[in-house]
Amino acid sequence: MTVIAVDGPAASGKGTLARKLAAHFGYDYLDTGKLYRAVGLAVLNAGQDPSDADAALAAAQSIDPARLDDPALSGDDAAAAASKVAAIGPVRAALKDFQLAFAGREPGAVLDGRDIGTVICPDAPAKLFVTATVEVRAERRHKELLSRGEDSIYARVLQELKERDERDTSRADAPLRPADDAQVLDTSAMTIEEAFAEALKIVEGRLA
Ligand SMILES: Nc1ncnc2c1ncn2[C@@H]1O[C@H](COP(=O)(O)OP(=O)(O)O)[C@@H](O)[C@H]1O
Ligand SMILES: Nc1ccn([C@@H]2O[C@H](COP(=O)(O)OP(=O)(O)O)[C@@H](O)[C@H]2O)c(=O)n1
């Protein structure tokens, strides 16, 4: 089993790169953000507060990780709720076993998120930390939301990403940061193709 860990802040392009790496190596891919989004959305749909630890834990214990295809998971509301439930330690613990089992898949697995290289798979042989300036990330997410036909205002997306970055980096449990042995890849001035070429070079070097 081989794990490629891809972490980074919101809309840095980590999912795009992780998906391409998985296709290249023939590995399975897991977007771990969807687990937190599913928990956040379940709490919202139940009319509860995503910062309520009991409500969030109950949701985390009852989501079905095999059913993460709800399009509402991609929206801004789910993202903001996700970063609130993600700050609750017992929620993270409840989602860990599924991620570990996925990471054990043969011939390999690519997981993207915030804490794959630091907490979930600290022994992964290949770790990427994908980043970009918050303005570039906001522009990318804004375009993505518009292309899906959603209402989006750049300034609001920028503000939402800043708030999420702040929550994700400052929480006590598994804060967003590069693992000591991760390679940081700043994609601010790269096209998807350029970023993938760099990512592949790094991963091939680590897996050699
Ligand atoms: N290097 C890049 N240049 C331009 N757009 C990109 C780049 N990487 C990703 N994108 C686009 O930015 C958006 C966010 O990328 P995504 O991979 O979903 O980010 P993340 O998984 O980090 O949230 C997507 O619409 C994607 O197509
Ligand atoms: N491994 C992970 C993945 C996501 N998350 C949380 O879930 C939120 C949504 O993650 P995501 O990866 O779907 O977000 P985007 O990068 O796609 O915007 C993040 O802001 C984090 O708070 C986490 O804490 N740990």
Side-chain angles (χ1 to χ4, degrees):
M1 115 201 170
T2 305
V3 176
I4 302 175
V6 184
D7 290 303
S12 54
K14 60 189 180 303
T16 302
L17 294 179
R19 208 172 287 112
K20 283 174 159 295
L21 287 167
H24 179 87
F25 290 104
Y27 292 176
D28 287 337
Y29 165 61
L30 178 65
D31 174 354
T32 66
K34 280 204 171 160
L35 299 172
Y36 293 91
R37 285 171 178 259
V39 174
L41 196 61
V43 175
L44 289 183
N45 286 343
Q48 292 171 303
D49 175 0
S51 299
D52 176 336
D54 292 337
L57 179 58
Q61 287 167 335
S62 61
I63 61 155
D64 179 357
R67 296 198 53 238
L68 297 172
D69 42 19
D70 182 349
L73 292 180
S74 309
D76 270 359
D77 292 347
S83 87
K84 291 178 185 163
V85 301
I88 299 165
V91 168
R92 306 197 70 82
L95 300 178
K96 194 168 179 180
D97 283 353
F98 177 76
Q99 296 176 75
L100 289 179
F102 195 98
R105 288 196 183 184
E106 298 289 355
V110 184
L111 284 79
D112 89 54
R114 302 292 185 288
D115 62 341
I116 307 304
T118 51
V119 175
I120 302 293
C121 302
D123 297 328
K127 297 181 186 177
L128 278 175
F129 189 88
V130 183
T131 191
T133 66
V134 71
E135 289 80 11
V136 166
R137 291 187 282 123
E139 188 61 42
R140 288 177 184 168
R141 181 53 45 87
H142 174 58
K143 281 193 185 145
E144 182 188 334
L145 291 168
L146 289 180
S147 75
R148 281 210 307 264
E150 292 185 30
D151 281 340
S152 181
I153 298 169
Y154 171 81
R156 199 177 292 161
V157 175
L158 180 64
Q159 180 63 24
E160 195 268 330
L161 290 191
K162 285 180 176 171
E163 285 171 13
R164 209 138 57 88
D165 284 357
E166 171 60 25
R167 265 200 299 273
D168 291 351
T169 52
S170 66
R171 68 184 176 220
D173 199 336
L176 171 66
R177 66 167 180 84
D180 293 339
D181 54 349
Q183 174 83 46
V184 177
L185 179 61
D186 187 330
T187 70
S188 302
M190 293 180 189
T191 63
I192 290 176
E193 290 68 30
E194 288 166 345
F196 179 60
E198 275 306 305
L200 192 55
K201 216 188 298 172
I202 294 165
V203 172
E204 282 177 338
R206 295 290 181 95
L207 297 185

